[in-house]
Amino acid sequence: MIIATTPAEATAQVSAWKKEGLSVGLVPTMGYLHEGHLSLITRAVAENDRVVVSVFVNPTQFGPNEDFESYPRDFAADSALCESAGVHLVFHPQPEDMYFADASTTITAAGVSEQLCGKSRPIHFGGVCTVVNKLMNISQATRAYFGQKDAQQLAVIRRMVRDLNMNVEVVGCPIIREADGLAKSSRNTYLSAEERQAALCLSRAVREGQRLMEEGQRDASAILGAMRALIEAEPLARIDYVDMVTWDSIQPCERAEGPVLVAMAVYIGKTRLIDNFIFPKP
Ligand code: PAF
């Protein structure tokens, strides 16, 4: 397995593969890899001749009061996991390798970026689009893999790839959960034992929303009201949002007439966690 730390090194290797006619799968990550990432990597390894995993905590997608500095990092563990999963190249740049000091170009996906996390993290999706675009260019990816846990991110990237005629297939993959339902996330490591228990209110709310929709409920306020009540019953939880939007244009909706995304962000203590479901299941 090759470890590349600059865009030039990564591109040189990938260009050689491309000359041989090989397909390249890209799994973009911020590291601290868990089974959610591993499910993306395993799928990429199965579907492509060569697989690139990027490990880069991207500063431009964090707001000034967010957790960029404290975001967990363990590159030794990440590269060992990649090696055992059959990854061919790990791209692990530093911010100064990725961004020119006088960079002028950024990407914004309007509309899809404005609801849900876009309201509380106004610069987030611009940073995500720009870095993912760069990673797709550097890796010359045939396919790129994203988890549905960041469902709005998946919709935003699909929109960017469509709008800019980018020659890459975006592959969305299901949420991976702990045995008790908690969605896997690198940020789960911030939780104390008590908060870890409290965090189960998110997946409980997901199940309640799914149950109501499976029983035929389509009214957003009824579904979201029941979900919010479950979360509010947990003293350590503070809701950022629990909302329903159209899938995959991420627009407000009051009734689920077509496919919808029901998504939430909830603080458990100081840790902001997200979870969601798409109905009907994609
Ligand atoms: O989902 C993430 O970990 C990040 O937003 C991504 C896609 C790697 C871009 O930095």
Side-chain angles (χ1 to χ4, degrees):
M1 189 181 77
I2 300 154
I3 295 176
T5 59
T6 65
E9 272 174 72
T11 299
Q13 179 56 63
V14 170
S15 296
W17 292 334
K18 285 287 179 132
K19 268 202 198 104
E20 290 176 51
L22 301 176
S23 62
V24 176
L26 168 68
V27 183
T29 82
M30 298 206 299
Y32 217 72
L33 303 179
H34 50 66
E35 283 161 48
H37 299 109
L38 186 58
S39 73
L40 307 181
I41 294 171
T42 305
R43 180 143 177 210
V45 168
E47 294 179 352
N48 299 276
D49 299 316
R50 295 289 181 270
V51 170
V52 175
V53 173
S54 60
V55 175
F56 178 56
V57 185
N58 173 38
T60 69
Q61 69 189 71
F62 288 81
N65 298 317
E66 295 182 355
D67 56 345
F68 172 69
E69 297 296 343
S70 59
Y71 196 85
R73 291 158 168 90
D74 186 349
F75 185 67
D78 291 343
S79 54
L81 182 143
C82 287
E83 177 119 55
S84 61
V87 170
H88 302 87
L89 186 148
V90 174
F91 179 46
H92 182 48
Q94 294 305 307
E96 56 275 21
D97 302 314
M98 279 298 273
Y99 293 108
F100 294 96
D102 61 349
S104 311
T105 313
T106 55
I107 296 181
T108 312
V112 273
S113 294
E114 282 153 23
Q115 304 297 317
L116 309 179
C117 287
K119 283 190 183 161
S120 37
R121 306 186 73 191
I123 64 153
H124 177 67
F125 289 114
V128 168
C129 279
T130 305
V131 81
V132 168
N133 193 302
K134 286 165 71 75
L135 292 168
M136 286 172 168
N137 290 336
I138 291 164
S139 66
Q140 302 172 53
T142 318
R143 298 182 192 85
Y145 295 79
F146 298 88
Q148 191 204 298
K149 178 166 158 286
D150 296 290
Q152 186 176 15
Q153 168 171 282
L154 174 60
V156 165
I157 287 163
R158 284 214 169 111
R159 186 60 65 99
M160 169 183 79
V161 165
R162 185 202 74 176
D163 288 352
L164 300 182
N165 303 92
M166 297 171 66
N167 192 18
V168 51
E169 182 190 336
V170 175
V171 183
C173 303
I175 299 178
I176 305 294
R177 298 180 179 280
E178 303 285 355
D180 61 8
L182 181 69
K184 301 243 180 197
S185 165
S186 308
R187 290 190 170 97
N188 291 347
T189 60
Y190 297 147
L191 302 170
S192 68
E194 197 192 353
E195 288 170 341
R196 171 68 184 73
Q197 266 312 106
L200 292 176
C201 69
L202 283 91
S203 50
R204 222 179 281 135
V206 162
R207 286 197 300 275
E208 177 65 1
Q210 280 172 324
R211 185 186 69 77
L212 289 169
M213 293 199 75
E214 274 153 20
E215 284 174 4
Q217 181 58 265
R218 293 292 177 269
D219 180 56
S221 63
I223 296 161
L224 301 174
M227 293 171 67
R228 284 193 191 109
L230 273 181
I231 299 168
E232 280 160 3
E234 173 49 63
L236 294 182
R238 182 169 58 82
I239 293 175
D240 178 2
Y241 68 79
V242 181
D243 223 338
M244 181 190 282
V245 294
T246 54
W247 180 253
D248 54 2
S249 52
I250 319 289
Q251 293 304 299
C253 75
E254 282 165 18
R255 276 191 70 76
E257 305 295 359
V260 291
L261 165 65
V262 179
M264 69 188 80
V266 177
Y267 286 92
I268 303 292
K270 289 197 174 115
T271 304
R272 186 176 176 280
L273 299 177
I274 56 175
D275 204 342
N276 69 74
F277 66 96
I278 295 171
F279 188 91
K281 223 179 179 157

